[in-house]
Amino acid sequence: MLSYTGMLALLLIHGNVMLPYVSSQNEPRINASDQEILQPKSGLELPITLQCNLTNSHSTHRQTFWMKNGQEISNTRTEHKHTEFKLSKPRTDDSGEYMCVYTFKSAPNANASIEVKAAPEIIGHKRSENKKEGENATLYCKSVGYPHPMWMWRKKAGRGTYIDIDNSTGRFFVINKDNFTELSIIGLDISTDPGEYVCNATNIIGSKESMTILRVRSHLAPLWPFLGVLAEIIILVVIIVVYEKRKRPDEVPDDDEPVAPIKNSTNNHKDKNVRQRNTN
Amino acid sequence: MPPSASTNLGYTPPDGGWGWAVVFGSFISIGFSYAFPKSLTIYFKEIQEYFSISYSEIAWVSSIMLATMYAGGPVSSVLVNRYGSRPVVIAGGLMVGVAMVMASFGTTILHLYLCVGVIGGFGLAFNLQPSLTIIGKYFLVKRPIANGLAMAGSPVFLSTLAPLNQFLFDHFGWRGSFLILGGVVLNCCVAGSLMRPIKIKTKPPVSKTTDENDTAKPDVTSQTAGQDKSKQSGCAAKVSQFIDISLFKHRGYLIYLVGNVLLFFGFFAPVVFLAPYAKHQGIDEYSAAFLLSIFALVDMFARPGTGLVANTKWIRPKIQYFFSFSVTYNGLCHLICPLLPGYSGLVVYAVIFGLAFGMVCALLFEVLMDLVGAQRFSSAVGLATIIECGPVLLGPPISGLLVDIFMDYKYMYYACGMMMLAGGVFLFIMNFYNYRLLEKEEKEKQVEDRLEIGSAKELAANEEDKDNEEKIRLNTEEEVGKSICEEP
């Protein structure tokens, strides 16, 4: 015969022992597929399928949908417990943090996340930037790829070697955001600043760089072609005028008659022609 | 034979020799005048960003330049009548050059309007009219060829200036490019220095009879230059010393003006809208730009070709009909354009349109010279351009409005085609009428001349008869007297 207290203790112990099971029974369990690493450039663009399966849930399950990087993906809502998201031809910008989310009638949402990682790819940059000296130049690079890369700016210094940017003059400013970086140079200096600038994006999977050429024009750059054209024009005009002056002693523009008496006779002929034309 | 107006030059034009150098000079001047405003549009995007203004504000630069170029026509004519072609072209070239250099230092958009638009436009006007005028002075028999060759300058320069401007823009930005363009445009001064004035040694009596009615007589020797014998009085006399207003009474000139106003409404819009229409059909940018290149290439060869054809002995006397035909052909091109499908259809359209455009441009000034003669040509062309100014400037915006209202390009093409057809048919009919009247007048003149000669001969014959009768009478009287005296 168990005493009253003994029975209470037993109940308590049983309850304590049961507690984790009870709480784990209250928590829904989701089986999610592993993280994926995309290799879009390798040519083996195998389709990738992300899967989530709700194994146990205490509350009535209502809907399932997918989210990418914190935003819901449209047309993924179903009422099944097992859900798949397929990437048929995965590209770098398909990478990110994917979550399958389960909603319940009277319980908070449950989710599981699957990371799809890829090496960064640089999608936006200027090939060249032309500015006048003393102006400000802005070079930028945009990337896709998850996780978000670390950015670094370097400058090419002859034959494949790179040097880090020398900011001793304090004119260089770098702004790094997740998928975007910007290098601002104020007060361009024509002797030191022109060259090839490289932005480098590195994440745990890989790295990529792209180059922008910065050209600095001097204030007087267009002056030389202008003076050249001016010189050409002056030379041509001088040639034409001199040619005309040398012909002028001959006087007659359409006949090349150098001797006066003959000239008069041709003029007379011309007058005769004129009279004849008029009467026609 | 062409109407007698064209032979009142007072001298025989050389029709060759230095004339071809003058044609080359005109080629350069005309090329700059027509191609320069269009090629500046490459810089508009960067200037728009630099000054933070809207697209329509920057487009005004081009419009003002074109408007002043046309409106400056009469001013240019007055100056050419006074001083001859050469100084005016050189002055025009200098004006545009200085205007572009000043514009490169501009700080506001107003600065650009004034420099590039107004001063540049006037400078180009001073290039256009004299180049056309001097061709009429140097050529008569081969004038259509000379005109065709000179007008070919426009497409050639447009094809050259467009890539050049792009290159300059990439390397120097818009300010540096304007500076360099200011230098390049000074080549108009070189062209002007080629335009040697014609110095004719005419004997005083001959020159007096031939320039009695002419108020425009440049470049003849000092005896006759400047001493106009206009017999009107008051304001009309003063104005007609500068520019020949009596042209407005010239029947052929009025026909030309009305026909031109009709045709210019639909003339330039199809060129402007060719690339947007192609893009609207789904064609990519490079192919659309290639269409314009095809058009320019065909245009380049069509102009001298038309000049050659117009110079033949079959066409030259009836050159007005040839012009009306080319305007009508232009209109028909536009009417069938919407019916041609796909990119190959557009290529075909670009080719036939290029041909039509070149034909009309080559003949545009040749027929005017044919109508009014080389003496009055400079006044004629000045007055014509200021009247054409309206339709030229209004045409593309109205067409753009049609496109916006109907959201379809085909109505715009139909409208342009109809305007040009109307112009062409009008010119055909009126020129038929005009030729008939001219022939009638020629015949009457010949009959009058013959009558004069005939009546002079009759008078002379009558007088001879009278003299003979007198002699016979005198003889018979003598005989009678003798016989009376001899009777006993």
Side-chain angles (χ1 to χ4, degrees):
Chain A
M1 235 154 47
L2 284 166
S3 68
Y4 182 67
T5 44
M7 279 187 75
L8 206 60
L10 207 64
L11 199 64
L12 274 170
I13 295 166
H14 185 253
N16 271 335
V17 171
M18 287 298 288
L19 205 57
Y21 291 98
V22 167
S23 54
S24 71
Q25 267 181 353
N26 280 340
E27 261 182 37
R29 227 199 219 151
I30 305 171
N31 274 346
S33 51
D34 283 332
Q35 70 165 17
E36 301 279 351
I37 297 180
L38 298 178
Q39 310 271 7
K41 286 279 172 63
S42 62
L44 309 161
E45 283 169 14
L46 302 167
I48 287 177
T49 311
L50 310 174
Q51 297 180 30
C52 275
N53 200 359
L54 182 67
T55 45
N56 61 337
S57 65
H58 62 293
S59 164
T60 324
H61 160 242
R62 270 203 308 194
Q63 275 192 335
T64 315
F65 61 90
W66 286 89
M67 288 174 87
K68 179 184 172 183
N69 294 334
Q71 289 214 324
E72 178 179 341
I73 308 172
S74 49
N75 298 334
T76 53
R77 283 202 180 230
T78 61
E79 288 179 0
H80 303 291
K81 287 191 184 171
H82 175 88
T83 176
E84 287 184 355
F85 186 73
K86 193 166 182 187
L87 296 163
S88 41
K89 275 195 195 159
R91 294 185 319 234
T92 309
D93 58 350
D94 288 323
S95 62
E97 189 189 358
Y98 288 84
M99 275 199 308
C100 52
V101 181
Y102 291 87
T103 60
F104 299 99
K105 212 170 188 179
S106 47
N109 292 354
N111 58 47
S113 72
I114 308 170
E115 286 183 319
V116 179
K117 296 185 182 172
E121 232 179 71
I122 298 185
I123 54 165
H125 76 287
K126 270 192 224 172
R127 259 187 310 186
S128 72
E129 175 87 339
N130 303 332
K131 289 275 178 188
K132 269 207 258 198
E133 62 175 335
E135 285 184 345
N136 303 340
T138 310
L139 311 175
Y140 68 90
C141 288
K142 274 190 206 162
S143 78
V144 288
Y146 180 84
H148 297 302
M150 287 271 299
W151 289 103
M152 214 164 61
W153 282 96
R154 288 192 290 196
K155 189 173 169 190
K156 212 170 193 181
R159 279 206 270 130
T161 58
Y162 297 96
I163 53 165
D164 288 330
I165 295 176
D166 170 22
N167 201 7
S168 52
T169 51
R171 294 179 296 114
F172 293 77
F173 298 95
V174 178
I175 301 173
N176 286 334
K177 287 181 221 169
D178 287 334
N179 272 340
F180 181 72
T181 183
E182 199 177 81
L183 170 67
S184 305
I185 313 174
I186 58 172
L188 286 168
D189 179 316
I190 198 170
S191 47
T192 59
D193 288 341
E196 293 173 13
Y197 286 82
V198 173
C199 64
N200 182 311
T202 309
N203 73 0
I204 196 166
I205 311 293
S207 78
K208 197 82 197 284
E209 0 184 87
S210 87
M211 183 190 71
T212 308
I213 299 179
L214 178 66
R215 294 193 198 101
V216 183
R217 302 190 290 252
S218 79
H219 283 299
L220 297 175
L223 197 62
W224 308 117
F226 175 66
L227 290 175
V229 171
L230 222 56
E232 165 244 328
I233 289 170
I234 293 176
I235 292 173
L236 282 176
V237 172
V238 163
I239 291 176
I240 292 173
V241 169
V242 163
Y243 180 66
E244 190 173 326
K245 292 271 192 281
R246 284 179 67 213
K247 268 189 93 74
R248 188 156 285 183
D250 304 339
E251 202 65 65
V252 182
D254 31 16
D255 304 308
D256 280 324
E257 306 287 358
V259 186
I262 304 173
K263 185 179 51 174
N264 282 335
S265 64
T266 48
N267 268 347
N268 282 337
H269 282 303
K270 263 203 265 184
D271 290 339
K272 274 194 207 154
N273 283 339
V274 166
R275 280 192 221 113
Q276 279 176 349
R277 278 186 91 89
N278 277 340
T279 52
N280 274 347
Chain B
M1 277 298 289
S4 52
S6 45
T7 55
N8 289 349
L9 274 172
Y11 64 92
T12 316
D15 263 308
W18 187 252
W20 298 116
V22 171
V23 167
F24 183 62
S26 302
F27 177 88
I28 296 177
S29 270
I30 292 176
F32 271 116
S33 302
Y34 280 119
F36 200 67
K38 291 182 202 159
S39 63
L40 283 184
T41 52
I42 291 180
Y43 300 108
F44 281 179
K45 195 146 182 258
E46 186 174 297
I47 301 180
Q48 191 186 335
E49 283 168 13
Y50 185 86
F51 287 120
S52 313
I53 50 176
S54 67
Y55 178 72
S56 62
E57 283 183 309
I58 191 70
W60 269 107
V61 172
S62 203
S63 306
I64 293 179
M65 194 174 203
L66 217 55
T68 12
M69 190 172 100
Y70 275 88
V75 179
S76 181
S77 301
V78 166
L79 289 173
V80 169
N81 286 345
R82 199 73 203 285
Y83 300 110
S85 293
R86 182 187 249 177
V88 182
V89 174
I90 294 182
L94 278 172
M95 275 175 78
V96 189
V98 167
M100 292 304 286
V101 170
M102 286 199 325
S104 75
F105 296 111
T107 47
T108 64
I109 188 70
L110 200 61
H111 196 126
L112 281 185
Y113 287 158
L114 279 174
C115 291
V116 178
V118 178
I119 305 180
F122 267 111
L124 291 180
F126 290 172
N127 263 302
L128 186 59
Q129 327 287 57
S131 323
L132 298 166
T133 312
I134 202 162
I135 293 179
K137 298 228 176 71
Y138 267 88
F139 286 89
L140 181 60
V141 174
K142 298 208 183 119
R143 202 175 56 199
I145 300 181
N147 260 312
L149 279 172
M151 293 297 284
S154 174
V156 167
F157 267 78
L158 192 57
S159 326
T160 335
L161 277 180
L164 177 72
N165 276 2
Q166 188 64 45
F167 171 78
L168 287 177
F169 173 65
D170 284 338
H171 281 80
F172 298 105
W174 71 270
R175 284 189 192 271
S177 301
F178 274 21
L179 186 69
I180 298 175
L181 278 176
V184 169
V185 123
L186 283 177
N187 276 304
C188 289
C189 295
V190 176
S193 60
L194 281 171
M195 296 181 187
R196 254 187 237 164
I198 289 201
K199 288 210 160 39
I200 314 101
K201 286 223 156 109
T202 51
K203 289 188 187 161
V206 176
S207 54
K208 268 196 196 141
T209 51
T210 49
D211 70 356
E212 214 180 75
N213 295 324
D214 293 325
T215 51
K217 203 53 168 134
D219 302 324
V220 183
T221 47
S222 51
Q223 304 150 310
T224 53
Q227 289 152 17
D228 301 307
K229 304 195 174 52
S230 46
K231 297 189 173 79
Q232 304 116 321
S233 57
C235 276
K238 277 206 181 141
V239 175
S240 62
Q241 268 189 340
F242 295 116
I243 200 169
D244 195 353
I245 301 266
S246 71
L247 276 168
F248 283 120
K249 293 193 200 134
H250 191 285
R251 190 177 50 236
Y253 187 60
L254 288 173
I255 296 173
Y256 177 81
L257 278 182
V258 175
N260 264 29
V261 166
L262 283 175
L263 89 89
F264 270 113
F265 266 114
F267 195 50
F268 288 113
V271 189
V272 171
F273 286 107
L274 184 61
Y277 178 54
K279 285 188 212 154
H280 182 80
Q281 303 265 49
I283 297 169
D284 63 287
E285 266 196 42
Y286 289 107
S287 308
F290 187 59
L291 279 177
L292 278 174
S293 310
I294 297 176
F295 169 76
L297 197 67
V298 176
D299 189 12
M300 222 185 279
F301 289 106
R303 294 194 194 200
T306 314
L308 272 171
V309 169
N311 209 30
T312 56
K313 64 176 191 282
W314 303 288
I315 307 238
R316 185 83 193 271
K318 304 286 178 195
I319 204 170
Q320 306 289 338
Y321 286 143
F322 193 40
F323 181 57
S324 328
F325 163 72
S326 48
V327 175
T328 324
Y329 168 53
N330 220 330
L332 288 171
C333 273
H334 297 321
L335 285 177
I336 66 171
C337 171
L339 304 170
L340 295 168
Y343 185 61
S344 48
L346 277 177
V347 170
V348 169
Y349 170 69
V351 169
I352 54 178
F353 180 37
L355 187 64
F357 195 81
M359 279 170 77
V360 173
C361 279
L363 293 172
L364 199 60
F365 295 110
E366 172 57 32
V367 295
L368 187 58
M369 276 188 215
D370 185 67
L371 279 170
V372 303
Q375 293 299 60
R376 302 207 276 174
F377 177 74
S378 81
S379 316
V381 77
L383 295 169
T385 50
I386 201 172
I387 292 174
E388 287 162 9
C389 188
V392 164
L393 286 177
L394 289 175
I398 292 182
S399 310
L401 204 65
L402 277 173
V403 173
D404 286 337
I405 293 177
F406 291 105
M407 298 309 281
D408 194 349
Y409 283 86
K410 65 176 186 197
Y411 294 106
M412 187 263 304
Y413 277 106
Y414 289 149
C416 292
M418 293 308 292
M419 290 304 288
M420 298 211 74
L421 260 184
V425 169
F426 173 79
L427 282 170
F428 243 132
I429 299 175
M430 296 309 287
N431 275 313
F432 179 65
Y433 176 60
N434 192 32
Y435 270 136
R436 288 275 284 272
L437 283 179
L438 277 173
E439 277 174 21
K440 237 195 261 177
E441 284 169 11
E442 273 284 321
K443 280 198 191 126
E444 283 170 13
K445 205 164 155 230
Q446 283 182 2
V447 167
E448 268 183 31
D449 284 345
R450 266 195 232 117
L451 275 178
E452 279 183 15
I453 297 172
S455 56
K457 276 193 188 154
E458 269 187 32
L459 270 173
N462 280 347
E463 292 208 6
E464 259 197 62
D465 286 346
K466 276 198 201 146
D467 285 343
N468 286 342
E469 279 181 19
E470 284 275 336
K471 273 190 200 158
I472 294 171
R473 242 189 329 129
L474 282 170
N475 283 344
T476 48
E477 278 182 9
E478 269 189 37
E479 283 184 20
V480 166
K482 269 189 192 166
S483 62
I484 289 173
C485 289
E486 281 171 4
E487 277 182 4

